[in-house]
Amino acid sequence: MVNDSCKIIGNMMIDAHFWQAYCDPYFKFENTIPTGDFVIVTANNPASQRLSDHENLLRNSRLQCDLALYKYSQVLVGNGDFSWSEISFASVISVTLAIELGRKYQQNAIYFVQDEQINLLSCLPDRTKINLGEWRYRIR
């Protein structure tokens, strides 16, 4: 159910402004751009509540420990001009594990790439999924 200001799922909500922002992501990869299917997760700013850079660094360090057994690379996810961005990680883990990690770090959503298409997937119980199209057009 969607109202004018929020995406409401049970007693949890995602502000409509944030949900709209999630639907228009851009990516700057630190090193190698992944190939094949992969996910993008972060531990920054739980439930879209801004934390200090130090707190976000600690949270993302813990997420990196969770990803230590898997291949991953750092990626900056942001809006078109990167005036807003979050350090995230692209990894070949399953979507199920990515959702578990998203929930562990109180994230509203994750991204996953499948067959060259980027999808936004809610970490909330409804698992709303939105196909955002060809993902490579979003690389900066």
Side-chain angles (χ1 to χ4, degrees), residues 25-27 116-117 132-140:
Y26 294 88
F27 308 98
E116 296 296 314
Q117 299 289 303
L132 304 176
E134 163 63 49
W135 84 276
R136 290 187 182 272
Y137 293 115
R138 296 178 173 280
I139 299 171
R140 298 293 181 252

Side-chain angles (χ1 to χ4, degrees), residues 9 15 19 37 40 47 53 80 85 98 106-107 110 130-131 135:
I9 298 104
D15 181 279
W19 190 251
D37 296 350
I40 298 175
D53 290 343
S85 63
Q106 301 88 39
Q107 298 300 301
I110 60 143
I130 301 174
N131 181 304
W135 84 276

Side-chain angles (χ1 to χ4, degrees), residues 61-87:
S61 292
R62 288 192 289 271
L63 175 56
Q64 283 180 287
C65 289
D66 290 334
L67 293 171
L69 297 177
Y70 307 95
K71 182 179 177 184
Y72 70 90
S73 60
Q74 187 171 307
V75 57
L76 192 64
V77 179
N79 61 1
D81 64 4
F82 285 84
S83 57
W84 162 85
S85 63
E86 292 182 338
I87 295 171

